[in-house]
Amino acid sequence: MAEVGKQQVSLRGASVKEISRDALLEKVSKERQVRNYARRASVSALFIQRVWRSYYVRKKVAMDVQEEWELLVHNKKFSITRTWVSSSLLRPFLFFITCPSIAHQKKQTTNIRCMLTCFKVLLQSMNFTEPQKNFCCLAMASVEERGIWLYQAKKLVSVCLSILAEFSSTSLGSQDTTALTSLAMRMVLALTDRKLWKCVTNENFRDADNAVKDLILSSATGKLCLYSCIRNYILNLKFYITPQRNCSLETDDQLLITASAVTIALRPFQIAELDVKGAVSMEIDVVEQYSVYLLTVPWLVQRLPRVLLPALKHNSVLTPCLRTLLIAKDKIFLEMSKLDQLQTTDCFPKRIPCVGWALANIINLASEYENDSLNAGKFSQGLNCAAYVHAVTMLAEKLLTWLERLGRARKNHDAVDNVNASTDITDPEFLEGEISIGSLKLLYRDLFRPVFQQWHLMMLLAISKKDSSIQIATGNSPNSSLEALGKLKLLDIAYLYSYTLRILAFLNPNTGSLPILNVLSFTPGFLPDLWGALEGSIFFGGGQAMNDKPSTSGLSIGETDGNFEKSKKRISKDMGNKWVNVLQKVSRKPPTNEECGDSPDIPPGLSEENEYSYDIWDVEPFKQGLQGISKDVACMLHLFCSTYAHLLLVLDDIEFYEKQVPFTLGQQRRITSVLNTLVYNEFSHSSNEKNLPLMDASVRCLHLLYERDCRRQFCPPHLWLSPARKSRPPIAAAARAHEAVSVNPSAGYDLSNPTMGSVISVTPHVFPFEERAGNRSGLGGREPEYSTAHTNLNQLRVQMFREFIKLDKVSRKMAGEVAGPGPGSVEIVIRRSHIVEDGFKQLNSLGSRLKSNIHVSFVSECGLPEAGLDYGGLSKEFLTDITRTAFDPDYGLFAQSSTSERHLVPNISARSVDNGMQMIEFLGRIVGKALYEGILLDYSFSHVFVQKLLGRYSFLDELSTLDPELYRNLMYVKNYNGEVMELSLDFTVTDEYYGKHVVTELIPGGKDVAVTNENKLQYIHAIADYKLNRQILPLAKSFFTGLIDLISPSWLSLFNAGEFNQLLSGGDHDIDVDDLRNNTRYTGGYSGGSRTIRIFWEVLVGFEPNQRCMLLKFVTSCSRAPLLGFKHLHPSFTIHKVACAVPVWAAIGGQDVDRLPSASTCYNTLKLPTYKRASTLRTKLLYAISSNAGFELS
């Protein structure tokens, strides 16, 4: 190959630079592209020229025809005949008025005048009775003439509908435009109503009917869709909403036009009603168009005058729409999605898709109600409620899918289908569909008002009782088969309300679902019926066991039959017995005769021996989480949990424990076991199911039941522990996992990525707090209701808490902070007479540095430094003494609750004391320091106060733990049979501060609002909220601020209020003598075999439990044993020998040592003299521990 740049000699005799092959191909390709472009440009130019010439010629011809037509009609040199109207009037008119060059100029004065003239002549012709003069007689003439009439009539209707589509409320100012639109509507009405044809006789009325039917159907489904034009007109209407819901309109012309448009829209339904046989063939396509274009109009019911709504609500219109929606749902949804993409008008709130507007409009069209009444309402006359429920459920499910997709897009900041890319999806009003009408604001969620009115639910429940039993499908939703459309079941109602609840919660997460939850919670019988259906499905395989007995799920609300209550009790009893049989098979126990709910203390069908069997409470269908249940069960469970969680917030203890409404205690246990098993296993296993609403509702309901059980027990302890009995992780691993989750507390628990940490965060109760042999502790001050036989000392959550602190100390040490004794420890000097003030001054500013060791030097009341080195004992004594002083009610910072336990609660008056809030915050740090170091304090806080520290809201039933007298008084008001106004109450509360009475309004203007029978529940809950939350919250926040400087909130989230108090003050009200003996240290010459030591343990075993606790308090300053046993008591429990010489003759005479035992609480040391007799040791020891002294004794 030649070298580059070398000259070559061509065959032509000329030397040229030879081009490469690739370059040649590229050159040829470019030349070919240039030639192709030139060819296409030439063809395009010729096409444009043809189009332009055609347009120009058609426009010129149309203008010429229009001029000739105007001369013809204005000279009035014509006689009206049907042939003349068709050939001379309509034919040229339709040509130039539909010409593209003129069609867009309809509103020009010349064109308006032409259309007015043509319509008037046509209407004049249609008023003739002579067949030769009436234009409509062509529809009943020869076949050719019928074709001509139908073509021209279709064109006329198309022109009239286009005029309607362009009409808007702003056009009312133009007299010509309004008159033209009114005349156009008269024209369409006349053409589509055979009764207005005056030339129709008995011989030809069938031909007229067929012609009208063909015209209506072709107009409804043609290229220029009838409903598309009416939709555009309605979108331009003003809203007809006044405070009185008046139907008066601005002008008579607008009423006429709107009424005509609605009448034309309903023409296909009218001909279907007249010709039932032909309706089947035409109904689907026409009703599809009606559903897609009219039912999706935003605010349809609010845009139309009230006088026209009955026509849209008529059974002949609404029922075919519901049936067609169910039959052709895929096609209709596709058309709706296309409409969403094409919709550009500014009047349309693009934030809500068409399917959402169809859902809201159907709900409003199917209901007749008043906005200001919750109970006055009914369904539209003749409505097929089963079809209504199925259609609404289908639309709600589709809207919910769209909302969930939108939610994921908002989370990921990505665009989603059906959402305009230019729309800011982070806009808080994005989903409101809000529109303003003067000072009135309408929200999309307000259109669901009929659904969250009680009459709506009660009527559906009454209809559903026609079904004798509930058959829950295993995999499909109830509207998947048209065979079930004629029947309404409780499951169908559950789907409707479950989807609606989720939609409202998505639109407004804070309060959107409250109205519907109120209705569901307080509709009599609904929750028991729903649980009965769920129980039958869960434990009896979809209701198989319910076939032989009448079902309560279909019973109506307000049943007046005298046998109803007896029947319901019998059914409940039978259900309980069958449930018991299943449990007995699982637990391999013999059958019992116990009946469901008969005993408030023993679970249904369980004896005292097997009530703590783990298998009883581990519900088999939920061991795999959501994978083990069907879609139907998941739907019903979501609705049940959401509703019951809402009801539990206002259910007081009398109703829950004594009256046992709405469920017996046996049913409450079964409900709790179902939720406990589901929640734990769903978070424990990676599931493909992602039903977040169900899990949110289940977790919320489970937590409320658990907190109520913590306060007053109704469940056996093994119920809470059963799901995790075989799969509990090691303590260290569990602690690290929980810490990993708590690093990002805003993320909460994530169902899509379940971890061990999320399991511990959501269900910490599956890890036992404390289980002791022979008796039950860990009740948090609750009165035990069960006898137990636990065999293990298993305190996993307490160990986990200590593991958290251990990990924290390791991380502080790695970070270079001082974690042990040394020069970096905090040195403080404390005057015993001013222990709180000195501690506050020297320690309050340390914040989290208080985690370091503190070395305390005491100054006596005489002002002299006390001898001694602090190796942990003095700092423990300091924490014990400062809390004893600060928590004393006489000090003024804390008070005692009025309950028998006398628990501590912040004194409301502390806010008025100098540095009162800072002192409360400092005491929070002191308590945190005691928890951090494992030092027990012999104090317990009120349940309500601890709830605030744990970040939990308190409700009415918890008021009994703070102020029992006030709680009783409120219950008296709640159950007062007479007129509450007789009690002269108002919405205020009076507090006393230092002898002064301060009145606080519970609501704005509360002093002027009297308490009546109608608002007494609001008053009761307002009082409870004030006492339990508003009043105590500032003090709790201050205490919490100090506490979390040392104790992470995520550590405390493992415990309930009672367990928090145990964590602070120790375990049971007795001590384990064997555990204490095994972990006792002897000094001064004592050993385990010493005579005095043997006597001491014999005496201690013979003490009463309260005497043993007094001894423990005498030595350690706390009457409770460490939760993890005396192995974890620091410093260790020590018995020090105090040698006391007794004369020989005195000993022979029966005398013993006179010296009393003493104690050094800072070192947990009992200074025990060398007693020789058990009686002496017992007497001296009891005297010492009862004298409330330690060092002073000798």
Side-chain angles (χ1 to χ4, degrees):
M1 191 172 181
E3 297 179 0
V4 179
K6 185 176 180 180
Q7 297 293 327
Q8 301 294 328
V9 178
S10 70
L11 298 178
R12 295 172 296 179
S15 298
V16 296
K17 191 173 187 179
E18 184 176 342
I19 188 171
S20 66
R21 181 175 180 273
D22 293 338
L24 177 61
L25 292 176
E26 182 179 359
K27 178 180 179 182
V28 172
S29 176
K30 289 182 178 179
E31 292 175 351
R32 184 182 298 112
Q33 291 177 2
V34 171
R35 289 195 300 272
N36 290 337
Y37 177 78
R39 188 182 304 111
R40 290 196 303 271
S42 177
V43 173
S44 300
L46 292 175
F47 175 77
I48 293 173
Q49 291 173 8
R50 286 198 303 270
V51 172
W52 170 249
R53 283 197 300 268
S54 174
Y55 172 80
Y56 179 76
V57 171
R58 287 173 61 88
K59 178 179 180 180
K60 184 176 181 182
V61 172
M63 293 177 66
D64 293 341
V65 172
Q66 183 176 2
E67 290 178 3
E68 295 177 3
W69 186 88
E70 289 178 356
L71 289 175
L72 174 66
V73 297
H74 288 133
N75 290 335
K76 298 183 181 180
K77 295 180 180 180
F78 56 83
S79 59
I80 299 179
T81 64
R82 67 185 189 184
T83 305
W84 178 86
V85 170
S86 176
S87 59
S88 300
L89 180 71
L90 277 182
R91 185 177 181 183
F93 171 78
L94 293 175
F95 172 74
F96 71 76
I97 205 65
T98 57
C99 181
S101 60
I102 297 178
H104 66 279
Q105 300 175 353
K106 286 189 178 71
K107 291 187 178 182
Q108 288 187 356
T109 304
T110 303
N111 293 332
I112 291 177
R113 186 171 62 251
C114 290
M115 288 186 285
L116 285 172
T117 302
C118 181
F119 294 159
K120 289 177 181 178
V121 174
L122 272 173
L123 290 173
Q124 184 180 356
S125 171
M126 295 172 65
N127 284 328
F128 287 120
T129 57
E130 296 89 342
Q132 296 301 322
K133 292 185 177 181
N134 196 312
F135 168 70
C136 292
C137 285
L138 290 174
M140 300 168 286
S142 64
V143 175
E144 182 180 358
E145 289 176 321
R146 291 178 186 178
I148 294 174
W149 178 88
L150 182 59
Y151 174 80
Q152 292 180 340
K154 287 165 57 178
K155 285 286 186 180
L156 273 173
V157 172
S158 177
V159 171
C160 294
L161 291 177
S162 64
I163 294 172
L164 176 69
E166 295 176 3
F167 184 84
S168 65
S169 57
T170 58
S171 303
L172 291 171
S174 174
Q175 186 175 359
D176 292 340
T177 303
T178 304
L180 174 63
T181 308
S182 300
L183 203 58
M185 291 297 97
R186 287 181 57 194
M187 176 61 62
V188 178
L189 290 175
L191 288 173
T192 56
D193 189 355
R194 187 257 300 172
K195 296 178 181 179
L196 298 178
W197 297 2
K198 296 185 178 181
C199 61
V200 178
T201 62
N202 292 334
E203 290 78 14
N204 58 14
F205 77 92
R206 292 188 182 277
D207 294 334
D209 285 340
N210 291 332
V212 169
K213 179 179 176 180
D214 292 339
L215 176 60
I216 292 175
L217 294 182
S218 60
S219 300
T221 58
K223 184 176 181 181
L224 183 61
C225 179
L226 163 71
Y227 296 115
S228 177
C229 296
I230 297 177
R231 173 190 178 87
N232 291 335
Y233 168 74
I234 296 177
L235 285 173
N236 290 322
L237 284 179
K238 289 184 177 180
F239 283 69
Y240 294 109
I241 297 181
T242 63
Q244 294 79 24
R245 190 67 174 130
N246 202 318
C247 63
S248 60
L249 302 175
E250 294 183 5
T251 66
D252 294 336
D253 290 328
Q254 188 174 1
L255 173 59
L256 175 62
I257 295 171
T258 305
S260 301
V262 173
T263 303
I264 295 169
L266 301 182
R267 280 282 194 254
F269 298 93
Q270 295 172 355
I271 64 172
E273 194 175 11
L274 293 174
D275 184 9
V276 178
K277 294 182 179 179
V280 177
S281 61
M282 51 72 63
E283 182 181 333
I284 295 295
D285 292 337
V286 174
V287 178
E288 283 176 2
Q289 298 294 320
Y290 179 87
S291 302
V292 170
Y293 287 101
L294 284 194
L295 291 184
T296 59
V297 173
W299 315 101
L300 175 63
V301 175
Q302 288 70 27
R303 292 179 188 272
L304 296 176
R306 189 175 185 181
V307 70
L308 301 179
L309 294 181
L312 298 178
K313 295 183 176 184
H314 195 269
N315 183 41
S316 62
V317 177
L318 200 52
T319 299
C321 292
L322 298 176
R323 185 166 59 248
T324 304
L325 279 170
L326 296 172
I327 295 174
K329 58 181 181 181
D330 294 334
K331 182 179 178 182
I332 292 176
F333 286 154
L334 180 61
E335 294 297 323
M336 287 182 179
S337 64
K338 292 179 180 178
L339 192 60
D340 285 330
Q341 297 172 2
L342 296 175
Q343 189 59 250
T344 56
T345 176
D346 294 337
C347 297
F348 183 79
K350 292 176 287 188
R351 297 181 177 92
I352 301 296
C354 286
V355 68
W357 293 113
L359 170 64
N361 290 332
I362 287 177
I363 290 175
N364 283 268
L365 289 174
S367 308
E368 297 178 5
Y369 68 99
E370 297 293 337
N371 287 327
D372 56 353
S373 176
L374 291 178
N375 297 318
K378 61 181 181 180
F379 290 114
S380 299
Q381 186 176 4
L383 178 70
N384 185 335
C385 289
Y388 161 74
V389 170
H390 291 135
V392 170
T393 300
M394 180 189 67
L395 293 169
E397 184 177 16
K398 190 70 175 180
L399 176 61
L400 198 57
T401 302
W402 185 88
L403 291 173
E404 290 173 347
R405 187 166 64 247
L406 177 65
R408 290 191 294 269
R410 294 176 67 178
K411 184 177 180 180
N412 300 325
H413 298 282
D414 294 329
V416 295
D417 295 339
N418 298 330
V419 179
N420 193 327
S422 63
T423 305
D424 182 12
I425 60 176
T426 61
D427 184 359
E429 297 182 354
F430 181 78
L431 291 175
E432 291 293 350
E434 180 179 309
I435 192 166
S436 298
I437 308 169
S439 60
L440 179 64
K441 283 189 176 181
L442 292 179
L443 298 177
Y444 172 74
R445 63 176 182 269
D446 293 336
L447 298 179
F448 290 83
R449 183 179 297 274
V451 179
F452 50 76
Q453 291 185 335
Q454 195 171 55
W455 66 263
H456 187 276
L457 176 59
M458 294 182 68
M459 285 187 174
L460 292 180
L461 291 174
I463 295 171
S464 70
K465 78 171 185 177
K466 296 178 182 178
D467 295 334
S468 59
S469 62
I470 294 180
Q471 298 293 337
I472 299 181
T474 56
N476 299 321
S477 61
N479 51 14
S480 59
S481 174
L482 293 178
E483 298 178 357
L485 296 185
K487 298 181 180 180
L488 185 62
K489 298 182 289 187
L490 184 62
L491 176 62
D492 304 327
I493 301 173
Y495 267 105
L496 168 63
Y497 279 91
S498 176
Y499 288 154
T500 306
L501 185 65
R502 292 169 60 182
I503 290 172
L504 294 176
F506 199 100
L507 295 176
N508 187 352
N510 295 326
T511 60
S513 59
L514 290 181
I516 195 170
L517 286 175
N518 287 334
V519 171
L520 294 171
S521 300
F522 300 110
T523 297
F526 174 71
L527 266 178
D529 289 346
L530 186 60
W531 171 247
L534 263 174
E535 192 174 31
S537 175
I538 295 171
F539 297 107
F540 304 119
Q544 296 175 2
M546 302 173 67
N547 293 336
D548 58 340
K549 295 289 182 182
S551 171
T552 61
S553 58
L555 294 173
S556 63
I557 304 303
E559 178 69 55
T560 58
D561 188 358
N563 296 325
F564 170 66
E565 291 298 332
K566 296 180 180 179
S567 174
K568 191 170 183 180
K569 291 180 180 179
R570 183 178 66 255
I571 294 168
S572 176
K573 185 180 296 184
D574 294 340
M575 283 287 296
N577 290 336
K578 292 178 180 180
W579 190 87
V580 167
N581 292 335
V582 175
L583 298 182
Q584 288 165 350
K585 291 179 181 179
V586 175
S587 58
R588 298 180 177 87
K589 296 294 180 180
T592 75
N593 294 325
E594 295 284 347
E595 294 182 343
C596 174
D598 285 352
S599 172
D601 297 327
I602 304 299
L606 303 179
S607 66
E608 293 184 2
E609 295 179 358
N610 69 358
E611 64 176 325
Y612 289 101
S613 173
Y614 283 111
D615 291 334
I616 290 293
W617 305 112
D618 199 5
V619 183
E620 182 66 31
F622 296 101
K623 287 185 178 180
Q624 298 301 320
L626 294 178
Q627 292 180 341
I629 62 175
S630 67
K631 180 181 178 181
D632 293 341
V633 173
C635 170
M636 298 179 73
L637 191 59
H638 165 256
L639 185 64
F640 176 81
C641 292
S642 301
T643 305
Y644 194 40
H646 184 72
L647 181 61
L648 282 171
L649 300 180
V650 296
L651 205 62
D652 59 62
D653 285 351
I654 296 176
E655 295 168 327
F656 190 92
Y657 292 98
E658 298 177 15
K659 296 181 179 179
Q660 297 190 25
V661 290
F663 301 111
T664 65
L665 292 182
Q667 290 174 314
Q668 299 284 9
R669 298 180 191 108
R670 295 199 291 274
I671 293 170
T672 305
S673 66
V674 167
L675 297 182
N676 196 40
T677 307
L678 171 64
V679 171
Y680 174 79
N681 287 289
E682 181 60 24
F683 280 94
S684 299
H685 304 95
S686 296
S687 172
N688 294 327
E689 300 289 338
K690 298 296 184 293
N691 197 332
L692 290 177
L694 169 58
M695 294 311 302
D696 287 339
S698 301
V699 169
R700 186 167 62 252
C701 188
L702 179 65
H703 284 175
L704 289 172
L705 288 168
Y706 176 67
E707 289 178 8
R708 190 177 288 262
D709 182 70
C710 292
R711 186 171 48 80
R712 182 176 173 184
Q713 187 183 27
F714 64 93
C715 291
H718 274 196
L719 184 151
W720 301 107
L721 308 178
S722 59
R725 68 188 189 279
K726 297 179 181 178
S727 58
R728 294 189 189 112
I731 295 300
R736 288 192 293 269
H738 183 70
E739 280 290 89
V741 171
S742 63
V743 169
N744 186 15
S746 62
Y749 53 85
D750 185 5
L751 179 60
S752 62
N753 185 26
T755 62
M756 184 193 304
S758 61
V759 173
I760 300 170
S761 300
V762 176
T763 56
H765 54 261
V766 301
F767 294 86
F769 181 76
E770 185 177 29
E771 300 175 8
R772 292 188 178 277
N775 56 19
R776 179 174 186 267
S777 63
L779 294 178
R782 297 170 295 171
E783 190 67 25
E785 299 181 9
Y786 298 89
S787 62
T788 65
H790 297 170
T791 58
N792 297 325
L793 184 63
N794 193 356
Q795 303 143 327
L796 297 183
R797 272 184 285 157
V798 181
Q799 296 177 30
M800 198 180 303
F801 179 79
R802 301 313 307 175
E803 186 68 24
F804 291 150
I805 295 176
K806 178 180 177 182
L807 293 174
D808 184 73
K809 290 182 177 180
V810 171
S811 63
R812 289 176 57 240
K813 187 173 183 180
M814 294 176 63
E817 300 181 28
V818 177
S825 301
V826 179
E827 303 282 347
I828 58 174
V829 178
I830 301 296
R831 296 173 295 171
R832 289 192 178 273
S833 58
H834 298 80
I835 188 171
V836 177
E837 293 77 6
D838 289 351
F840 173 76
K841 183 178 180 181
Q842 299 180 56
L843 297 178
N844 187 51
S845 60
L846 295 179
S848 61
R849 287 181 55 212
L850 195 57
K851 292 180 179 180
S852 302
N853 276 21
I854 57 174
H855 287 176
V856 181
S857 298
F858 282 109
V859 177
S860 68
E861 295 182 358
C862 300
L864 299 176
E866 295 184 0
L869 298 177
D870 187 4
Y871 292 102
L874 293 178
S875 58
K876 174 181 179 292
E877 182 182 1
F878 164 72
L879 293 176
T880 303
D881 290 349
I882 192 174
T883 53
R884 181 188 299 116
T885 302
F887 288 149
D888 191 328
D890 293 336
Y891 195 80
L893 294 179
F894 276 77
Q896 292 180 335
S897 65
S898 56
T899 60
S900 58
E901 294 84 1
R902 313 300 292 175
H903 289 155
L904 293 174
V905 63
N907 192 335
I908 306 302
S909 301
R911 291 181 293 182
S912 305
V913 179
D914 292 340
N915 295 328
M917 300 300 285
Q918 291 85 347
M919 291 290 289
I920 295 288
E921 181 178 334
F922 169 65
L923 290 179
R925 293 191 180 93
I926 293 298
V927 170
K929 176 66 174 177
L931 291 172
Y932 194 82
E933 300 296 343
I935 297 173
L936 298 179
L937 303 177
D938 200 15
Y939 304 97
S940 294
F941 294 112
S942 168
H943 175 90
V944 174
F945 178 60
V946 179
Q947 286 285 83
K948 297 295 160 291
L949 300 182
L950 299 179
R952 296 164 189 168
Y953 196 85
S954 297
F955 298 94
L956 172 63
D957 56 286
E958 298 177 51
L959 184 61
S960 60
T961 65
L962 181 66
D963 194 337
E965 182 179 0
L966 177 60
Y967 179 77
R968 287 193 298 268
N969 292 337
L970 292 179
M971 291 300 100
Y972 174 79
V973 174
K974 180 179 180 179
N975 301 308
Y976 190 70
N977 294 326
E979 178 56 54
V980 177
M981 290 189 66
E982 300 172 355
L983 303 179
S984 301
L985 299 173
D986 56 26
F987 278 78
T988 61
V989 62
T990 303
D991 296 305
E992 183 177 354
Y993 296 104
Y994 300 106
K996 296 182 179 180
H997 291 84
V998 179
V999 177
T1000 304
E1001 291 184 340
L1002 299 175
I1003 60 175
K1007 63 181 179 181
D1008 300 322
V1009 180
V1011 179
T1012 64
N1013 287 345
E1014 288 73 23
N1015 62 15
K1016 66 179 181 180
L1017 286 180
Q1018 180 186 2
Y1019 168 77
I1020 291 170
H1021 288 284
I1023 285 280
D1025 178 64
Y1026 176 78
K1027 288 292 185 180
L1028 298 175
N1029 300 296
R1030 292 167 52 187
Q1031 189 178 53
I1032 200 175
L1033 189 59
L1035 296 164
K1037 282 185 175 180
S1038 295
F1039 192 93
F1040 181 74
T1041 301
L1043 180 65
I1044 62 175
D1045 279 344
L1046 290 92
I1047 305 297
S1048 171
S1050 65
W1051 303 349
L1052 298 178
S1053 65
L1054 298 177
F1055 308 103
N1056 58 50
E1059 293 167 346
F1060 175 87
N1061 279 328
Q1062 291 186 70
L1063 198 65
L1064 177 66
S1065 59
D1068 200 4
H1069 292 278
D1070 195 3
I1071 63 176
D1072 187 337
V1073 177
D1074 291 335
D1075 181 42
L1076 178 61
R1077 179 185 301 173
N1078 294 333
N1079 293 280
T1080 297
R1081 190 167 61 96
Y1082 304 100
T1083 60
Y1086 275 147
S1087 66
S1090 301
R1091 178 182 179 183
T1092 303
I1093 297 300
R1094 292 198 306 271
I1095 295 175
F1096 171 79
W1097 293 119
E1098 292 175 2
V1099 170
L1100 188 59
V1101 169
F1103 274 1
E1104 297 293 331
N1106 65 317
Q1107 294 173 332
R1108 285 192 286 266
C1109 292
M1110 291 172 60
L1111 171 65
L1112 190 63
K1113 185 174 182 178
F1114 177 74
V1115 179
T1116 67
S1117 75
C1118 182
S1119 61
R1120 307 285 185 89
L1123 289 174
L1124 298 180
F1126 286 98
K1127 178 182 179 181
H1128 294 271
L1129 179 66
H1130 299 289
S1132 298
F1133 189 89
T1134 302
I1135 301 179
H1136 182 75
K1137 181 178 182 180
V1138 178
C1140 298
V1142 179
V1144 177
W1145 295 108
I1148 295 175
Q1151 294 184 8
D1152 203 343
V1153 177
D1154 289 334
R1155 186 183 179 111
L1156 290 171
S1158 60
S1160 176
T1161 56
C1162 56
Y1163 295 106
N1164 296 334
T1165 298
L1166 172 65
K1167 299 177 181 179
L1168 186 66
T1170 53
Y1171 299 111
K1172 302 296 188 296
R1173 295 182 177 85
S1175 58
T1176 305
L1177 189 149
R1178 177 183 176 86
T1179 302
K1180 298 290 186 180
L1181 193 59
L1182 284 176
Y1183 181 86
I1185 63 179
S1186 302
S1187 63
N1188 195 27
F1191 281 115
E1192 297 88 350
L1193 297 176
S1194 62

